[in-house]
Amino acid sequence: MTIEARTLLPIADHAVSVASEIIRTRAPGVVTAKGDRDMATEVDYAVEDAVREFLSRETPEIGFLGEEDGVSRMGDGLMWALDPVDGTANFLYGIPLCGVSLGLLDKDTSTLGVIDLPFLNLRYSAAEESGAFVNGSEIHVSDARELQSAIVAIGDYAVGEGADERNRPRLALTQELAARVQRIRMFGAAAIDLAWVADGKIDANIMLSNNPWDTAAGVIIAREAGATVVDLDGSPHSMTSHATIAASPRLVADLVELIAEAHETSRPNRHVAE
């Protein structure tokens, strides 16, 4: 299927408006446990249901993937990817760092994204080869050139089964960053991390995971703002990548090297092998 991504921006924007109204006006409600320290609120499900219903009417030819209910409709190469409330824990505790993230995927590539942060009155949007915007004004990545002056956001630590093993490189990375960068930040929402790289509020973001509903919108917004977005090894990021690293272009090589060092130092038996 060939559809120019920018032509779908008004539809995506309306879908996100529907979602944001629900987030702003409803209490979290009943909390459903999805795993160890992983939860969804009634609002998560309400947003996903409302957006899925709207998009199924407006774009029945495009598939739909939601964080809560998975793939509910297959498309011919194109798929919407929705995180109904990115930062659910923040939302549940009344922390305003949360929002809705809707991206459009063309196979493994993000081509359109809209992120709304309803409690901060910020809406980010981008389409392939069309630039990135917040509240209608064009945005650009920072011009940071060295890690010593960079503010770097990191993704949440892992929870659930195998968390100790998965957190070894995360904790090692935190230690490496603490010794080298200006400041570390953890906002608790992938959409915010990526949007704020795009907006130059932070200089880089590192997430040692890559769920399409988390990253589909933010990746295209960051790229259109001039950020470089890569996987762990520095190769171009896609929805099949293992991690999501977005940064001002001159920081990327140093970040990839630093992450490799953190993974090496976190290997439990590395000294035995030596």
Side-chain angles (χ1 to χ4, degrees), residues 3-15:
I3 297 178
E4 193 172 1
R6 76 183 77 183
T7 66
L8 294 173
L9 264 175
I11 293 173
D13 194 65
H14 186 90

Side-chain angles (χ1 to χ4, degrees), residues 142 144-153 177 180-185 201-205 247-248 251 255:
S142 82
R145 301 182 180 191
E146 54 185 20
L147 291 181
Q148 294 93 319
S149 61
I151 293 181
V152 180
L177 287 169
R180 303 195 198 185
V181 304
Q182 177 65 243
R183 290 291 187 275
I184 300 171
R185 295 290 181 260
K201 294 182 184 298
I202 58 177
D203 303 299
N205 163 233
S248 176
L251 298 180
L255 286 171

Side-chain angles (χ1 to χ4, degrees), residues 27 31 80 90 111 115 121 132 180 199 248 257 261 272:
V31 177
W80 295 108
N90 289 348
T111 61
I115 292 170
N121 296 313
R180 303 195 198 185
D199 204 6
S248 176
E257 182 179 351
E261 290 174 9
V272 173

Side-chain angles (χ1 to χ4, degrees), residues 170-246:
R170 288 169 167 82
L171 292 167
L173 174 62
T174 303
Q175 186 172 2
E176 293 281 354
L177 287 169
R180 303 195 198 185
V181 304
Q182 177 65 243
R183 290 291 187 275
I184 300 171
R185 295 290 181 260
M186 183 182 283
F187 299 119
I192 290 177
D193 293 340
L194 289 164
W196 284 0
V197 168
D199 204 6
K201 294 182 184 298
I202 58 177
D203 303 299
N205 163 233
I206 302 170
M207 288 180 281
L208 298 185
S209 62
N210 182 43
N211 295 314
W213 51 83
D214 287 329
T215 60
V219 163
I220 185 64
I221 294 170
R223 278 183 172 150
E224 287 296 315
T228 299
V229 189
V230 299
D231 198 354
L232 284 175
D233 61 357
S235 61
H237 180 276
S238 75
M239 291 300 117
T240 60
S241 294
H242 297 289
T244 306
I245 302 153

Side-chain angles (χ1 to χ4, degrees), residues 28 45 86 225 258:
Y45 291 108
D86 191 15
L258 185 149

Side-chain angles (χ1 to χ4, degrees), residues 37-58:
R37 290 167 287 166
D38 187 14
M39 77 289 285
T41 69
E42 285 184 20
V43 169
D44 289 80
Y45 291 108
V47 168
E48 188 161 316
D49 289 345
V51 172
R52 182 195 306 109
E53 181 180 348
F54 172 77
L55 291 175
S56 68
R57 292 196 309 267
E58 297 295 320

